[in-house]
Amino acid sequence: MTNHRLITGLSNPTVKKLRALRIKKHRKASRKFLAEGLRILADAQAFGHSPEILLMSKDRDPHPILENLIKSVTSNGGEVLETSCAILSKITGKSNPQAVVGVYAELDTSIDKLRRSTADIWLVAHTMRDPGNLGTLLRTGDAVGAGGLILIDDCTDPFSFEAVRASMGAIFTQKIALTRWQEFYDWLRGGPGQLVGASLKNAVHYRDAKYESPCFILLGNESQGLPEKLESLSDIRVTMPMHGHADSLNAAVAGSILAYEVLAGLKKTR
């Protein structure tokens, strides 16, 4: 097959091109990103996302899911590359890479493409910097049936190798929007939607709040929380009491707890 070939050299131009996808500016220029692992690639396929390039270790174990993935890639005009573990390591930057890596076209991140009526819960993050937290929020969104994750202002890149890996496939199951605060706020107020800010200032207990659908859970930066302006524009502000010495929860953990509480609260009102 012309679209199935072997790569053996570390200096191969394709290797250099794919390795560059670990760097944000190259991802933006090419509008492509990497995803690693058969499970994540299988989830992507189940939700209609086929890799443009499928890389496989020559020493991989046979697996029926992988065989179906290969057929899907070739039937969609993609390319299948076989290579060594050393080359996969160079591409992914990991000393122990998984045997399967996919190269995907960057997903549409326009906020205008979101349909708020499709879900009761949406997650919103302002200037979130940690890719692990971002990936965890995507997994949380998938778990609670959220519509997606809206990233406001200077958040970490959701298509970074670390964020995609942390999402465990939810990068393909959740809608993602990248926007600025004013654009988001104008869009939100253009239709129904309750903005719930996670805050410590003039906030009600998170279990006492009255949540409404669709509910947009707004989380702040890991170290600084929400800016005062964003807090003041929230419909309600909620807080989770700290019973130990810590003054706050991890941002992704707080988002997960709030998401499940909102889900429970909405069910009680129906």
Side-chain angles (χ1 to χ4, degrees):
M1 293 181 290
T2 57
N3 58 349
H4 194 142
R5 60 191 175 99
L6 176 68
I7 291 181
T8 58
L10 288 170
S11 60
N12 186 289
T14 299
V15 174
K16 294 181 178 180
K17 182 178 178 180
L18 298 183
R19 182 189 180 193
L21 294 179
R22 286 162 42 201
I23 301 172
K24 183 176 181 179
K25 68 176 182 179
H26 293 300
R27 288 194 299 273
K28 293 300 180 184
S30 65
R31 299 189 65 81
K32 303 183 192 306
F33 68 98
L34 296 170
E36 181 194 38
L38 183 57
R39 176 183 172 182
I40 291 179
L41 269 62
D43 285 346
Q45 183 184 22
F47 280 83
H49 301 280
S50 181
E52 296 183 354
I53 300 175
L54 178 65
L55 295 104
M56 307 178 299
S57 169
K58 294 183 296 181
D59 302 323
R60 68 189 182 278
D61 293 325
H63 198 291
I65 294 178
L66 180 56
E67 294 306 313
N68 288 334
L69 190 58
I70 293 171
K71 291 178 182 178
S72 174
V73 172
T74 55
S75 65
N76 287 315
E79 190 173 21
V80 178
L81 305 178
E82 291 192 72
T83 191
S84 65
C85 182
I87 290 178
L88 284 175
S89 179
K90 191 174 185 67
I91 290 172
T92 63
K94 294 177 61 181
S95 58
N96 58 337
Q98 297 196 41
V100 184
V101 176
V103 179
Y104 291 85
E106 188 173 287
L107 308 177
D108 190 338
T109 58
S110 171
I111 194 169
D112 293 330
K113 296 297 180 66
L114 299 184
R115 297 293 177 263
R116 70 185 76 202
S117 61
T118 60
D120 290 327
I121 301 174
W122 295 80
L123 298 177
V124 186
H126 180 261
T127 62
M128 179 166 282
R129 303 305 303 160
D130 184 84
N133 281 337
L134 193 152
T136 298
L137 278 182
L138 284 169
R139 293 177 68 182
T140 295
D142 181 85
V144 301
L149 175 62
I150 301 171
L151 300 172
I152 296 175
D153 294 344
D154 300 319
C155 288
T156 190
D157 184 5
F159 302 111
S160 71
F161 192 71
E162 295 78 12
V164 172
R165 181 172 57 196
S167 81
M168 291 299 293
I171 187 84
F172 297 106
T173 68
Q174 290 283 286
K175 298 292 185 182
I176 299 175
L178 304 179
T179 186
R180 309 299 294 183
W181 169 255
Q182 193 60 53
E183 182 185 21
F184 162 72
Y185 193 72
D186 290 345
W187 173 86
L188 177 67
R189 297 313 182 196
Q194 180 191 49
L195 185 61
V196 177
S199 173
L200 297 174
K201 301 176 183 177
N202 300 318
V204 300
H205 193 288
Y206 76 111
R207 287 186 171 170
D208 294 332
K210 294 182 179 180
Y211 301 111
E212 300 174 2
S213 174
C215 181
F216 292 80
I217 302 172
L218 176 61
L219 304 165
N221 176 270
E222 289 92 340
S223 61
Q224 299 177 356
L226 286 175
E228 185 175 339
K229 177 183 177 181
L230 275 62
E231 289 182 326
S232 66
L233 291 174
S234 297
D235 296 312
I236 57 174
R237 293 181 292 278
V238 296
T239 186
M240 286 169 281
M242 300 290 106
H243 298 293
H245 295 289
D247 59 0
S248 65
L249 286 170
N250 169 275
V253 172
S256 300
I257 294 173
L258 273 177
Y260 273 101
E261 188 62 29
V262 169
L263 188 64
L266 292 175
K267 287 183 177 179
K268 290 178 182 178
T269 61
R270 292 176 176 169

